[in-house]
Amino acid sequence: MKTQKLGGSDFNQWLLGIPYELAFWNNVFRWTATFNGMMRWSKLGRHIQLEGMDVSSFLRNYENPVVLDIGCGLSFANGDILSSAEGDKKLEVHYIDPLADYYNAIKRRHKRNLPDIEFGMMEHISSTWSGEKVSLGIICNALDHSSSPLQGIIEVLKVLKVGGCLYLNHHPNEAEFEHYKGFHKFNICIDEEQRLIIWNKEQKIVVDDVIASYASVRTTTLENGFVVAVITKEAEIPDDGQKFSSEQLRSLIQAPSKKLSFKMKYAWYNFIQFFVQALSWENKQKLKRLIYK
């Protein structure tokens, strides 16, 4: 696999989607009804459950499992409590996102008392997490928003213990549905041979084939049509030696926010989202269908 260059064209294209993402979350957290609706859906403070994987049985194999929720946004979508014969146990869950600094500012601005998000990029997660001490990595509705999904998978596998799992859950072919806007640059699907596929208009990657020497992939299509893949690390992964500090990665992500074009785009998206997030969920879906007709 060709490692994505820091600050390369794919990454720069990804940076352009930041203003929209920040405007979305700012207004989800602004409106009480929208925020409360999200928290009713959130699994924070509840038992961990992952569709298509018996995650509780898996985590009970570890005395003190470490879980990374990568590309988490501000949804806190996965539980942090593990049930066992000895009773409920609080899991060590780390919520990780490249926009962590922005997201923590949004939480403070709207006085929402939630766990802080930790900075990290899935495409370079081995730069900030090392030692292969992670039992489970979770990426939900985020892999296809990254600048290099395949690199993200391999990087997360690097920080897993041998025997550890990476869990993926995504809307199928979302970039096609979203017309490749914002962070939506890649599609994820399962082909007729039950292989995990990452694709867009320029490329198609069969993930099973790329990682076959050190990991296995089990795929499932849920009743709601979502695509689930459980990737198990079976061997050590050669290290390419390319590492970046958190400061290097942060500086690249934060640099665009100083530009006038970034501020203008954010102001425009924030204005739109101010009204959109005030709508009911049903009306949001109607508006979305109208826009994409």
Side-chain angles (χ1 to χ4, degrees), residues 199-212:
W199 68 278
N200 59 20
K201 294 178 180 179
E202 287 76 42
Q203 60 183 308
K204 175 183 176 181
I205 301 167
V206 181
V207 176
D208 306 51
D209 294 346
V210 176
I211 65 175

Side-chain angles (χ1 to χ4, degrees), residues 2 32 63 70 83 103 109 114 128 167 173 188 193 227 258:
K2 183 180 179 181
T32 300
E63 184 176 353
I70 304 168
S83 61
Y103 290 156
R109 181 183 308 134
L114 293 167
T128 49
Y167 173 87
N173 300 327
I188 295 174
E193 299 176 50
V227 170
K258 299 178 176 63

Side-chain angles (χ1 to χ4, degrees), residues 29-41:
F29 272 54
R30 178 199 302 275
W31 296 108
T32 300
T34 305
F35 175 79
N36 289 342
M38 184 197 74
M39 292 310 298
R40 284 193 293 270
W41 171 78

Side-chain angles (χ1 to χ4, degrees), residues 246-286:
S246 293
E247 289 71 24
Q248 286 176 299
L249 297 170
R250 267 192 164 106
S251 65
L252 282 175
I253 290 174
Q254 294 176 356
S257 66
K258 299 178 176 63
K259 296 181 179 179
L260 179 61
S261 58
F262 181 101
K263 295 176 181 178
M264 291 179 65
K265 285 177 67 176
Y266 173 75
W268 171 243
Y269 290 136
N270 199 47
F271 174 78
I272 294 172
Q273 288 292 328
F274 178 87
F275 296 102
V276 170
Q277 295 306 324
L279 298 173
S280 66
W281 186 87
E282 293 78 8
N283 285 332
K284 287 176 194 172
Q285 299 310 304
K286 290 179 182 178

Side-chain angles (χ1 to χ4, degrees), residues 36-49 55-56 75-83 88-91 93 95:
N36 289 342
M38 184 197 74
M39 292 310 298
R40 284 193 293 270
W41 171 78
S42 166
K43 300 296 188 297
L44 186 66
R46 304 180 195 176
H47 290 103
I48 187 167
Q49 293 181 323
V55 66
S56 295
S75 60
F76 302 96
N78 304 296
D80 55 354
I81 304 295
L82 177 65
S83 61
D88 288 348
K89 176 182 179 180
K90 177 77 171 177
L91 284 167
V93 179
Y95 300 98

Side-chain angles (χ1 to χ4, degrees), residues 139-199:
I139 303 177
C140 292
N141 195 35
L143 184 69
D144 50 351
H145 299 176
S146 69
S147 60
S148 182
L150 178 61
Q151 184 175 327
I153 289 174
I154 294 172
E155 278 285 301
V156 176
L157 289 173
K158 285 181 182 179
V159 304
L160 292 178
K161 300 172 183 283
V162 173
C165 287
L166 169 59
Y167 173 87
L168 308 175
N169 186 327
H170 293 80
H171 190 289
N173 300 327
E174 189 172 20
E176 285 282 301
F177 178 73
E178 297 284 353
H179 298 273
Y180 295 88
K181 294 179 180 178
F183 280 164
H184 304 99
K185 304 303 179 187
F186 292 91
N187 298 288
I188 295 174
C189 68
I190 298 171
D191 69 5
E192 294 178 354
E193 299 176 50
Q194 298 303 299
R195 300 178 302 179
L196 180 64
I197 307 295
I198 298 172
W199 68 278

Side-chain angles (χ1 to χ4, degrees), residues 5 8 22 27 135 143:
K5 292 182 179 179
L22 298 183
N27 286 281
S135 308
L143 184 69

